[in-house]
Amino acid sequence: TLELAMEAVQMILSALTTPLMVLSVPLVLLGLFAHFAAGVSLHYMLRCFYLEFLLRWKASKLPDPPAKKADRYVPPNAGEEKLHGEELAYSVESRFLKGGLMAMPLLSSFGGSRRQKESAVEGVEEDEAWTHKVNCLREGAEVHRQVRQYVQQKVRPGKELRQIVEMVENASSTLVGFDAKNPLRRSFAFPTGLSLNECAAHDTVNPGDEARCDLAKLDFGVQIDGHILDCAFSFTFCDLHDELMQAVKEATNAGIRFAGPDALLNEMGAAIQEVMESAEVHRPDGKVLPIYSIKNLTGHSIAPYKIHAGKSIPSCNTGGSARMKCGELWAIETFGSAGGIGYVVNSGPSSHFMRGSLDPPRNFQLNALSSNAKTMLELIDKRFGTLAFCPRWVLQEATRSKTKFSKVSTGRGSGGSWWEDSLHELCNMGIVTPYPPLSDLPGCHTAQYEHTILLRGSGKEVLTRGSDY
């Protein structure tokens, strides 16, 4: 038995000798190269080879930009119904809040005519146009979910703002099915908002801008046949801001909870403020910062091709009498500030612009415009209509359509580049409206969360709700 065991061991050793001898030659050569040429050990060099392989393998597993149009995500047996958002029943919370107690409203407490009183609570006729609107909104919401999931997985500390914005816009353009020949059919709804720290809203990357992010608000939207989805979230890589972000997220959810036909907007604002300002930020140095709702930034109603349709949801009690109505589309949007005062003012050059209407300018306005400004106005009307836009998009469209501009500064605008002068001319004549960045106190931090909801006859649908927020 011992002899048989010895024979087996010898057979195993002889079987291993050949491959070991084959491997030993390159290992010895590699070891000599590592020691004499690179000045490192063989172990270190092999470790580097392994780590490089591991890095390349993990990089290959990172998510690619989503490439399928959102309507391809519809289940095959879903018929005409697109993917749903979160569907919620109306509750007593969407009604009056009297003296801290919830109570159902009486029609006699309404202002306005009897017809206005009735139209606030009646349902909507869910005809073919309504079904098309709902399906467009649901498809756009799915685009938003797919894009933000991709961005949340790809963004890393030190990523430049320009890279983040391009990531959002390239993925959105692909998923929504943007067609340059028919740009108003399916496209972005407004410039990709990327506002940092004390800047709460209306900032994005202008041509030539370079910056990096700390506490960022990413606000972007898409539109299909003019039906706009508006949704935003905050992100950071510092847990110092977690309490602020959580408070704002809960305030947005409170606004959604109280939303419904006949809801009084100023009392919704009071509920939002109470939820947000009940929280605090605890700093590592022991200081406790109060969180303030930003009083002059609001949620808003949405209409076809109109991101702001006239009604607003404040983040405090304003004493107003406006109410929600069945069939309306709303952006429930809240902003909070830690280290600030809860109020924003214009700060820095504008990066968001919009035409209030497509009415042609008056003769005196046209006569005062340079040829560059007139050409830019034609481009804006054709490409963006009444949708908001930014200078980057104007330059991209001018390049794509080969629109001819005089690349010499006219001196009529801000004294900057040719496109800045043309935009300033249009703004100065009241043809285009600029929307500058809005900031609280320098050095403070602001956060934002936003969802788009539809008030249906059977309940409210949080169209943009996802697994992330």
Side-chain angles (χ1 to χ4, degrees), residues 285-298:
D285 59 7
K287 291 183 179 179
V288 178
L289 298 179
I291 296 175
Y292 296 111
S293 63
I294 297 182
K295 311 302 186 294
N296 56 336
L297 288 177
T298 66

Side-chain angles (χ1 to χ4, degrees), residues 211-226:
R212 300 183 184 276
C213 63
D214 185 7
L215 174 53
K217 283 72 64 182
L218 185 57
D219 187 351
F220 69 98
V222 297
Q223 62 85 17
I224 298 174
D225 284 345

Side-chain angles (χ1 to χ4, degrees), residues 183-457:
L184 295 178
R185 171 77 172 81
R186 292 167 168 264
S187 68
F188 314 118
F190 48 86
T192 303
L194 193 53
S195 307
L196 299 183
N197 300 326
E198 70 268 12
C199 183
H202 292 174
D203 201 9
T204 189
V205 180
N206 274 333
D209 284 357
E210 294 292 339
R212 300 183 184 276
C213 63
D214 185 7
L215 174 53
K217 283 72 64 182
L218 185 57
D219 187 351
F220 69 98
V222 297
Q223 62 85 17
I224 298 174
D225 284 345
H227 302 298
I228 295 173
L229 275 298
D230 187 3
C231 188
F233 64 97
S234 300
F235 67 92
T236 183
F237 299 100
C238 175
D239 57 10
L240 175 67
H241 308 304
D242 288 351
E243 291 171 312
L244 171 61
M245 292 164 58
Q246 184 63 28
V248 178
K249 186 188 299 185
E250 290 177 359
T252 298
N253 287 330
I256 293 171
R257 190 166 61 251
F258 282 94
D262 191 38
L264 195 60
L265 298 181
N266 75 296
E267 295 199 357
M268 284 182 62
I272 289 170
Q273 181 181 14
E274 182 177 357
V275 170
M276 191 183 302
E277 297 189 355
S278 65
E280 298 173 326
V281 170
H282 298 82
R283 291 167 53 103
D285 59 7
K287 291 183 179 179
V288 178
L289 298 179
I291 296 175
Y292 296 111
S293 63
I294 297 182
K295 311 302 186 294
N296 56 336
L297 288 177
T298 66
H300 49 91
S301 56
I302 303 173
Y305 293 105
K306 279 280 191 181
I307 185 62
H308 288 237
K311 290 182 180 180
S312 298
I313 304 173
S315 292
C316 59
N317 191 330
T318 61
S321 59
R323 300 174 185 273
M324 288 182 161
K325 293 183 180 180
C326 194
E328 289 181 331
L329 186 66
W330 284 89
I332 308 295
E333 178 175 23
T334 69
F335 298 81
S337 172
I341 62 172
Y343 190 86
V344 294
V345 294
N346 297 345
S347 62
S350 297
S351 60
H352 288 49
F353 299 84
M354 189 166 63
R355 286 265 277 147
S357 73
L358 292 180
D359 295 337
R362 297 179 180 179
N363 288 334
F364 79 90
Q365 292 174 311
L366 281 176
N367 292 335
L369 295 178
S370 66
S371 59
N372 264 6
K374 291 177 183 177
T375 304
M376 181 172 285
L377 179 59
E378 292 177 8
L379 182 149
I380 290 169
D381 285 348
K382 181 179 179 181
R383 169 62 183 87
F384 305 109
T386 56
L387 296 173
F389 61 91
C390 62
R392 282 185 303 104
W393 292 358
V394 172
L395 297 184
Q396 290 171 7
E397 181 63 18
T399 302
R400 187 202 65 79
S401 62
K402 299 179 180 179
T403 304
K404 294 183 179 179
F405 287 96
S406 170
K407 300 301 177 69
V408 179
S409 177
T410 64
R412 298 190 184 187
S414 62
S417 62
W418 61 271
W419 60 265
E420 286 180 298
D421 286 347
S422 300
L423 267 179
H424 275 81
E425 282 187 64
L426 295 172
C427 293
N428 290 339
M429 295 306 299
I431 300 171
V432 170
T433 303
Y435 294 87
L438 301 170
S439 300
D440 202 332
L441 284 177
C444 77
H445 292 91
T446 60
Q448 171 195 15
Y449 280 89
E450 176 181 21
H451 276 299
T452 299
I453 69 169
L454 179 63
L455 303 183
R456 308 183 65 179

Side-chain angles (χ1 to χ4, degrees), residues 65-66 143 147 150-151 166-176:
V143 169
V147 172
Y150 165 64
V151 171
E166 289 176 352
M167 195 187 307
V168 170
E169 292 175 358
N170 292 340
S172 298
S173 180
T174 299
L175 285 185
V176 82

